[in-house]
Amino acid sequence: MKRTKISQVLEQSEVGSSLIVKGWVRANRGNRFIQINDGSTIKNIQAVVEFENFDENVLKKVTTGASVAVSGKLVESQGSGQAVEIMVETIEVLGEANPEEIQKTVMQPKRHSLEYLREQAHLRFRTNTFGAVFRIRHAVSFAIHKYFNDQGFFYLHTPIITGSDAEGAGEIFHVSNLDPKNPPLTEEGNIDYSKDFFGKQVNLTVSGQLEAELAALALGQVYTFGPTFRAENSNTSRHLAEFWMIEPEVAFNDLNDNMDLTEDFLKYITNYILDNCKHDLSFLNEREIKEQQSKPQKDRNELTLVERLEFVRDNDFKRLTYTEAIEVLKRSKPYKKKKFKYEVEWGVDLQSEHERYLVEKEFKCPVILTDYPAEIKAFYMRENEDGKTVAAMDVLFPGIGEIVGGSQREERLDVLKRKCADFNIPEEDLWWYMDTRKFGSVQHAGFGLGFERMVMFVTGMTNIRDVIPFPRTPQNAEF
RNA sequence: GCUUCUUUAGCUCAGUUGGUUAGAGCAUCUGACUGUUAAUCAGAGGGUCCCAGGUUCGAGCCCUGGAAGGAGCGCCA
């Protein structure tokens, strides 16, 4: 007989049927009730053992963390905690787990802090919280592919090793095969990268956008979904050195189309999780409610996790320009009471405190800010009629901040050349990018979604290190 | 990189003004019980009080330096 997954046992199997389940023991109560989890669902199956009829030496090994195979009949449960349970006919311990050692891991049957779980990232998959988080992470990933596929987008694989940092999006990781102790030198005494593997200096990608634009200007609508690397010394709950990013790019779209796409996309993902991850979501929802109870009133969320997701799904995002946002901030209480640490002035980039005020206090919903001053945004963003602002957009989410950054791209070759000069970007390094503006250039737009930030939003996790299996942060690349 | 907080048993944490043998809950072990729901009951074991130095008759507690982790900020997604 083949094993039946626990998700299937609980949702589809008929009472009275004989089956085999395999999984890991979560708890063994009174030598009679064994809670088994196989990862297919957050729910456990309860296996009931008439211990009098079984070998004591086998039952002794059925401890928390051990793996077991159990066969028996599915019956209605006499207890109130579950609808069905398995009356065990045979039980086999597949892999033992020494309780004295289990005690030193996160697998002991008790609550742990997220910080402690992070130290055992290889074992935290076995916990309810991380099981839920990573099943949902998968579902978000799948929903993204499904959405784009249904909308006629093509999934484009952009390179991880690239030769240019033209976008200037943060610090980069260099990739080299040269001997660091004894690198070949040029006549001037600099490292001679022409002798390196690729014959030039290369780095890990910080964005697949420029490459995605090339494909969009042929395939019409494409998206990337891959790892991204930033060598910034960022020590926050919202930054990773290695993270995943989704970057759709659509020919013929303007900024408004771009905003419509972003909003529809984010609502689709949110709704997909509400529809397809009910058990995991409900566990995380309860978990958050319990956690909130130990916090002071002012630090608590006004809405529960599920309510926040429903809110995003059901309400329009607030759209306003950067210029309007500055005016709103200048009329705000914290501005008048001089509570903001950073200045609010047209031309200066908004700080987290300003974004948080707009999202969490003023509008209390996701906000899309558009038309930023050209100086504070990237060179490829399309210049507006006023000559001062560009067709950029940032989507701000409560508790997370910037979750999406995008723009309509500059499709006019002459303007793009001027912008390169303004930003000190050597045009010749980007000859392949400039070429698309020579041959049938069209307006187009796209955005980048921080995947882990989206997973944070739908799981309610407040530290980005808890939504990626193996986080890479400054001074930390364990596992 | 900056600011700030934390570090005491396997985990979460308490530890009064610097004063006898450093405590609790959970976990682990032993036994009891056996339709439990983080099972329950009784008992036991378990400590480099983060590290190094200093002050003091005496330091978990005070001082100096360091390390690790959290939160916030900057950079950004």
Side-chain angles (χ1 to χ4, degrees), chain A residues 200-220:
Chain A
K200 61 189 281 196
Q201 208 172 355
V202 294
N203 50 272
L204 295 179
T205 182
V206 293
S207 163
Q209 182 204 314
L210 300 188
E211 290 89 346
E213 280 188 50
L214 313 191
L217 293 174
L219 297 166

PDB file of all heavy atoms in Angstrom, chain A residues 200-220:
ATOM      1  N   LYS A 200      36.453  40.363 -18.445  1.00  0.00           N
ATOM      2  CA  LYS A 200      36.073  41.692 -17.958  1.00  0.00           C
ATOM      3  C   LYS A 200      35.575  41.572 -16.529  1.00  0.00           C
ATOM      4  O   LYS A 200      35.374  40.469 -16.026  1.00  0.00           O
ATOM      5  CB  LYS A 200      34.982  42.292 -18.843  1.00  0.00           C
ATOM      6  CG  LYS A 200      33.698  41.447 -18.857  1.00  0.00           C
ATOM      7  CD  LYS A 200      32.699  41.911 -19.891  1.00  0.00           C
ATOM      8  CE  LYS A 200      31.922  43.115 -19.429  1.00  0.00           C
ATOM      9  NZ  LYS A 200      30.722  43.355 -20.228  1.00  0.00           N
ATOM     10  N   GLN A 201      35.367  42.702 -15.891  1.00  0.00           N
ATOM     11  CA  GLN A 201      34.868  42.695 -14.526  1.00  0.00           C
ATOM     12  C   GLN A 201      33.359  42.409 -14.543  1.00  0.00           C
ATOM     13  O   GLN A 201      32.614  43.078 -15.273  1.00  0.00           O
ATOM     14  CB  GLN A 201      35.132  44.052 -13.870  1.00  0.00           C
ATOM     15  CG  GLN A 201      35.273  43.945 -12.387  1.00  0.00           C
ATOM     16  CD  GLN A 201      35.724  45.244 -11.748  1.00  0.00           C
ATOM     17  OE1 GLN A 201      36.020  46.228 -12.427  1.00  0.00           O
ATOM     18  NE2 GLN A 201      35.768  45.252 -10.442  1.00  0.00           N
ATOM     19  N   VAL A 202      32.939  41.423 -13.766  1.00  0.00           N
ATOM     20  CA  VAL A 202      31.513  41.089 -13.716  1.00  0.00           C
ATOM     21  C   VAL A 202      31.053  41.008 -12.266  1.00  0.00           C
ATOM     22  O   VAL A 202      31.852  40.982 -11.333  1.00  0.00           O
ATOM     23  CB  VAL A 202      31.206  39.755 -14.435  1.00  0.00           C
ATOM     24  CG1 VAL A 202      31.463  39.865 -15.925  1.00  0.00           C
ATOM     25  CG2 VAL A 202      31.993  38.614 -13.820  1.00  0.00           C
ATOM     26  N   ASN A 203      29.718  40.974 -12.115  1.00  0.00           N
ATOM     27  CA  ASN A 203      29.144  40.978 -10.769  1.00  0.00           C
ATOM     28  C   ASN A 203      27.818  40.221 -10.758  1.00  0.00           C
ATOM     29  O   ASN A 203      27.274  39.877 -11.812  1.00  0.00           O
ATOM     30  CB  ASN A 203      28.931  42.428 -10.308  1.00  0.00           C
ATOM     31  CG  ASN A 203      28.189  43.261 -11.326  1.00  0.00           C
ATOM     32  OD1 ASN A 203      28.783  43.855 -12.219  1.00  0.00           O
ATOM     33  ND2 ASN A 203      26.870  43.273 -11.210  1.00  0.00           N
ATOM     34  N   LEU A 204      27.307  39.989  -9.565  1.00  0.00           N
ATOM     35  CA  LEU A 204      25.995  39.359  -9.428  1.00  0.00           C
ATOM     36  C   LEU A 204      24.929  40.415  -9.696  1.00  0.00           C
ATOM     37  O   LEU A 204      25.079  41.568  -9.317  1.00  0.00           O
ATOM     38  CB  LEU A 204      25.812  38.772  -8.021  1.00  0.00           C
ATOM     39  CG  LEU A 204      26.747  37.626  -7.658  1.00  0.00           C
ATOM     40  CD1 LEU A 204      26.470  37.153  -6.224  1.00  0.00           C
ATOM     41  CD2 LEU A 204      26.588  36.464  -8.619  1.00  0.00           C
ATOM     42  N   THR A 205      23.839  39.987 -10.303  1.00  0.00           N
ATOM     43  CA  THR A 205      22.834  40.945 -10.747  1.00  0.00           C
ATOM     44  C   THR A 205      22.180  41.697  -9.587  1.00  0.00           C
ATOM     45  O   THR A 205      21.966  41.127  -8.510  1.00  0.00           O
ATOM     46  CB  THR A 205      21.735  40.253 -11.572  1.00  0.00           C
ATOM     47  OG1 THR A 205      20.795  41.230 -12.018  1.00  0.00           O
ATOM     48  CG2 THR A 205      20.992  39.208 -10.736  1.00  0.00           C
ATOM     49  N   VAL A 206      21.894  42.965  -9.806  1.00  0.00           N
ATOM     50  CA  VAL A 206      21.111  43.739  -8.845  1.00  0.00           C
ATOM     51  C   VAL A 206      19.697  43.966  -9.370  1.00  0.00           C
ATOM     52  O   VAL A 206      18.838  44.478  -8.657  1.00  0.00           O
ATOM     53  CB  VAL A 206      21.756  45.100  -8.516  1.00  0.00           C
ATOM     54  CG1 VAL A 206      23.057  44.894  -7.761  1.00  0.00           C
ATOM     55  CG2 VAL A 206      22.001  45.910  -9.776  1.00  0.00           C
ATOM     56  N   SER A 207      19.461  43.580 -10.628  1.00  0.00           N
ATOM     57  CA  SER A 207      18.146  43.761 -11.239  1.00  0.00           C
ATOM     58  C   SER A 207      18.169  43.180 -12.640  1.00  0.00           C
ATOM     59  O   SER A 207      19.177  43.259 -13.325  1.00  0.00           O
ATOM     60  CB  SER A 207      17.812  45.256 -11.317  1.00  0.00           C
ATOM     61  OG  SER A 207      16.751  45.464 -12.229  1.00  0.00           O
ATOM     62  N   GLY A 208      17.076  42.566 -13.036  1.00  0.00           N
ATOM     63  CA  GLY A 208      17.006  42.034 -14.394  1.00  0.00           C
ATOM     64  C   GLY A 208      16.246  42.957 -15.322  1.00  0.00           C
ATOM     65  O   GLY A 208      15.918  42.596 -16.460  1.00  0.00           O
ATOM     66  N   GLN A 209      15.996  44.162 -14.854  1.00  0.00           N
ATOM     67  CA  GLN A 209      15.092  45.047 -15.575  1.00  0.00           C
ATOM     68  C   GLN A 209      15.570  45.436 -16.971  1.00  0.00           C
ATOM     69  O   GLN A 209      14.805  45.385 -17.936  1.00  0.00           O
ATOM     70  CB  GLN A 209      14.848  46.317 -14.768  1.00  0.00           C
ATOM     71  CG  GLN A 209      13.878  47.249 -15.463  1.00  0.00           C
ATOM     72  CD  GLN A 209      14.058  48.677 -15.011  1.00  0.00           C
ATOM     73  OE1 GLN A 209      14.166  48.925 -13.818  1.00  0.00           O
ATOM     74  NE2 GLN A 209      14.110  49.608 -15.938  1.00  0.00           N
ATOM     75  N   LEU A 210      16.838  45.837 -17.066  1.00  0.00           N
ATOM     76  CA  LEU A 210      17.293  46.328 -18.364  1.00  0.00           C
ATOM     77  C   LEU A 210      17.200  45.224 -19.409  1.00  0.00           C
ATOM     78  O   LEU A 210      16.769  45.450 -20.539  1.00  0.00           O
ATOM     79  CB  LEU A 210      18.725  46.861 -18.260  1.00  0.00           C
ATOM     80  CG  LEU A 210      18.936  48.016 -17.280  1.00  0.00           C
ATOM     81  CD1 LEU A 210      20.352  48.576 -17.413  1.00  0.00           C
ATOM     82  CD2 LEU A 210      17.915  49.116 -17.461  1.00  0.00           C
ATOM     83  N   GLU A 211      17.547  44.005 -19.000  1.00  0.00           N
ATOM     84  CA  GLU A 211      17.444  42.855 -19.909  1.00  0.00           C
ATOM     85  C   GLU A 211      15.972  42.555 -20.227  1.00  0.00           C
ATOM     86  O   GLU A 211      15.621  42.219 -21.352  1.00  0.00           O
ATOM     87  CB  GLU A 211      18.113  41.618 -19.290  1.00  0.00           C
ATOM     88  CG  GLU A 211      19.640  41.700 -19.210  1.00  0.00           C
ATOM     89  CD  GLU A 211      20.138  42.341 -17.919  1.00  0.00           C
ATOM     90  OE1 GLU A 211      19.317  42.954 -17.200  1.00  0.00           O
ATOM     91  OE2 GLU A 211      21.351  42.234 -17.630  1.00  0.00           O
ATOM     92  N   ALA A 212      15.114  42.699 -19.195  1.00  0.00           N
ATOM     93  CA  ALA A 212      13.685  42.441 -19.394  1.00  0.00           C
ATOM     94  C   ALA A 212      13.089  43.426 -20.399  1.00  0.00           C
ATOM     95  O   ALA A 212      12.216  43.071 -21.197  1.00  0.00           O
ATOM     96  CB  ALA A 212      12.941  42.525 -18.061  1.00  0.00           C
ATOM     97  N   GLU A 213      13.574  44.657 -20.381  1.00  0.00           N
ATOM     98  CA  GLU A 213      13.074  45.657 -21.329  1.00  0.00           C
ATOM     99  C   GLU A 213      13.329  45.211 -22.772  1.00  0.00           C
ATOM    100  O   GLU A 213      12.483  45.371 -23.647  1.00  0.00           O
ATOM    101  CB  GLU A 213      13.747  47.016 -21.091  1.00  0.00           C
ATOM    102  CG  GLU A 213      13.150  47.787 -19.932  1.00  0.00           C
ATOM    103  CD  GLU A 213      13.704  49.202 -19.835  1.00  0.00           C
ATOM    104  OE1 GLU A 213      13.716  49.917 -20.867  1.00  0.00           O
ATOM    105  OE2 GLU A 213      14.154  49.580 -18.743  1.00  0.00           O
ATOM    106  N   LEU A 214      14.522  44.644 -23.002  1.00  0.00           N
ATOM    107  CA  LEU A 214      14.857  44.209 -24.357  1.00  0.00           C
ATOM    108  C   LEU A 214      13.865  43.172 -24.843  1.00  0.00           C
ATOM    109  O   LEU A 214      13.400  43.201 -25.981  1.00  0.00           O
ATOM    110  CB  LEU A 214      16.268  43.620 -24.408  1.00  0.00           C
ATOM    111  CG  LEU A 214      17.404  44.384 -23.734  1.00  0.00           C
ATOM    112  CD1 LEU A 214      18.733  43.766 -24.127  1.00  0.00           C
ATOM    113  CD2 LEU A 214      17.375  45.861 -24.074  1.00  0.00           C
ATOM    114  N   ALA A 215      13.520  42.228 -23.939  1.00  0.00           N
ATOM    115  CA  ALA A 215      12.599  41.156 -24.313  1.00  0.00           C
ATOM    116  C   ALA A 215      11.179  41.698 -24.474  1.00  0.00           C
ATOM    117  O   ALA A 215      10.452  41.296 -25.387  1.00  0.00           O
ATOM    118  CB  ALA A 215      12.642  40.052 -23.266  1.00  0.00           C
ATOM    119  N   ALA A 216      10.797  42.638 -23.610  1.00  0.00           N
ATOM    120  CA  ALA A 216       9.442  43.197 -23.681  1.00  0.00           C
ATOM    121  C   ALA A 216       9.231  43.909 -25.010  1.00  0.00           C
ATOM    122  O   ALA A 216       8.137  43.895 -25.574  1.00  0.00           O
ATOM    123  CB  ALA A 216       9.206  44.162 -22.524  1.00  0.00           C
ATOM    124  N   LEU A 217      10.314  44.501 -25.536  1.00  0.00           N
ATOM    125  CA  LEU A 217      10.200  45.236 -26.785  1.00  0.00           C
ATOM    126  C   LEU A 217      10.228  44.295 -27.990  1.00  0.00           C
ATOM    127  O   LEU A 217      10.525  44.693 -29.113  1.00  0.00           O
ATOM    128  CB  LEU A 217      11.314  46.286 -26.874  1.00  0.00           C
ATOM    129  CG  LEU A 217      11.152  47.398 -25.826  1.00  0.00           C
ATOM    130  CD1 LEU A 217      12.339  48.337 -25.825  1.00  0.00           C
ATOM    131  CD2 LEU A 217       9.861  48.168 -26.015  1.00  0.00           C
ATOM    132  N   ALA A 218       9.948  43.032 -27.738  1.00  0.00           N
ATOM    133  CA  ALA A 218       9.832  42.042 -28.812  1.00  0.00           C
ATOM    134  C   ALA A 218       8.696  41.084 -28.507  1.00  0.00           C
ATOM    135  O   ALA A 218       7.851  40.802 -29.336  1.00  0.00           O
ATOM    136  CB  ALA A 218      11.133  41.264 -28.956  1.00  0.00           C
ATOM    137  N   LEU A 219       8.656  40.607 -27.252  1.00  0.00           N
ATOM    138  CA  LEU A 219       7.633  39.640 -26.865  1.00  0.00           C
ATOM    139  C   LEU A 219       6.378  40.318 -26.320  1.00  0.00           C
ATOM    140  O   LEU A 219       5.380  39.654 -26.051  1.00  0.00           O
ATOM    141  CB  LEU A 219       8.195  38.673 -25.811  1.00  0.00           C
ATOM    142  CG  LEU A 219       9.373  37.813 -26.292  1.00  0.00           C
ATOM    143  CD1 LEU A 219      10.079  37.151 -25.117  1.00  0.00           C
ATOM    144  CD2 LEU A 219       8.898  36.754 -27.274  1.00  0.00           C
ATOM    145  N   GLY A 220       6.451  41.608 -26.102  1.00  0.00           N
ATOM    146  CA  GLY A 220       5.277  42.355 -25.647  1.00  0.00           C
ATOM    147  C   GLY A 220       5.150  42.463 -24.150  1.00  0.00           C
ATOM    148  O   GLY A 220       5.227  43.545 -23.578  1.00  0.00           O
TER     149      GLY A 220
END
